Amino acid sequence: MISNETIDTISLHFLPMLPYPENALEPVISMKTIRFHHGRHHRGYIDNLNRLAERTAFAGVPLMEIIAETASKPDHAAIFNSASQAWNHAFYWRSLKPRGGGKPAGALMNRIEASFGSFDAFRKELVAAATAQFGSGWVWLAEDVEGLKVVKTANADSPLILGMTPLLTIDVWEHAYYLDVQDRRADYVNAVLDNLINWDFAAENLV
Ligand code: MN
C-alpha cells in the first residue's frame, strides 16, 4: 500500500552527490567554492524545480523530458531554467575529476583531431568560447552528425536543446570561479583543462 505521502516523495528530484570529496578539486577549485556551488546553487535549482513541478504534469518527470518539453517556451521558462540547470550541474560535476586534465587518448583524441585539426586548435577554440560567452553560461564539447564542436550557451541552455550530444562542460557562471580567481575566467578555464577535466567521462559520452 503506497500512501499519498510516499507518492509525493518519489516524484521529487534529489541533489546528486558529488563524485568526489568537496576538497578534491583543490587548489584549482576551492572547497569553499564547491560548498556554495553544489550545496547552495545546485541545490537551489533542484528545490525550485520541485516547487514548480509540484501538482503539475511535470511532477515526477525525468529532467531530460522536462527539458525537451519546456525548451524555448516562454510560458515554461522558469521550470526549464531549473530543470536544465539541475541537469547541467550534474553533468559538470562528472566532467571534472581530481588529477584529470591533460589530453584524451584513443577514439576521442582521433575525433578531436578529425574535427578541429589538432588538440591544440580544439583547446584554443574552447578557451576562446569560454571567455567570449557574455555573462552567465556554459562552454561545451558536443557532438552532432557533422562531428565534434565547441558550443557556448547562455544561462541555463545546453547542447541538448540544439539536438546535440554533450561530451563535457565547464560552468562559466561567475559563481563557479569568482571566490577563487575573481574575474579571471580564462585562468579558471585553463586550470580546469590542465588539472581537472575528465576525459574518460567525455569518451563515455561519445555516440
Ligand atoms: Mn553553476
Side-chain angles (χ1 to χ4, degrees):
M1 183 88 186
I2 297 175
S3 69
N4 285 337
E5 200 176 326
T6 310
I7 291 169
D8 285 343
T9 304
I10 59 176
S11 75
L12 292 175
H13 293 271
F14 289 94
L15 179 68
M17 282 180 64
L18 287 171
Y20 32 72
E22 289 177 318
N23 64 354
L25 306 183
E26 291 193 330
V28 175
I29 303 177
S30 65
M31 182 164 73
K32 189 175 182 184
T33 289
I34 295 290
R35 280 189 173 164
F36 274 99
H37 200 172
H38 179 254
R40 299 287 288 275
H41 292 277
H42 192 175
R43 184 186 300 280
Y45 298 123
I46 303 272
D47 290 348
N48 260 334
L49 173 62
N50 285 328
R51 189 173 49 76
L52 291 166
E54 194 179 11
R55 288 188 287 274
T56 74
F58 295 113
V61 174
L63 287 180
M64 293 270 247
E65 286 176 39
I66 297 177
I67 292 166
E69 287 175 30
T70 59
S72 307
K73 292 180 182 165
D75 290 354
H76 290 309
I79 194 165
F80 168 80
N81 286 335
S82 296
S84 194
Q85 282 293 77
W87 192 91
N88 291 353
H89 281 86
F91 195 81
Y92 170 62
W93 304 127
R94 298 170 71 202
S95 294
L96 308 178
K97 67 171 186 180
R99 293 172 300 281
K103 293 181 180 180
L108 178 55
M109 185 58 138
N110 294 339
R111 302 281 287 280
I112 286 174
E113 287 173 344
S115 295
F116 298 94
S118 68
F119 179 81
D120 289 346
F122 151 72
R123 182 179 165 132
K124 211 170 162 181
E125 190 175 329
L126 188 81
V127 174
T131 49
Q133 171 56 36
F134 183 77
S136 297
W138 301 81
V139 63
W140 310 77
L141 176 62
E143 179 176 9
D144 69 9
V145 290
E146 296 169 350
L148 305 194
K149 292 173 184 172
V150 166
V151 177
K152 61 183 165 69
T153 60
N155 301 316
D157 289 353
S158 83
L160 293 175
I161 64 172
L162 306 171
M164 303 179 77
T165 302
L167 303 185
L168 64 80
T169 192
I170 301 176
D171 188 341
V172 295
W173 283 57
E174 282 187 345
H175 64 226
Y177 59 88
Y178 212 86
L179 292 174
D180 296 325
V181 293
Q182 293 73 54
D183 60 343
R184 301 192 303 278
R185 185 190 284 180
D187 288 4
Y188 153 75
V189 170
N190 276 302
V192 164
L193 288 170
D194 287 339
N195 301 287
L196 300 178
I197 210 75
N198 186 345
W199 289 117
D200 296 333
F201 176 66
E204 286 168 19
N205 292 322
L206 279 172
V207 174

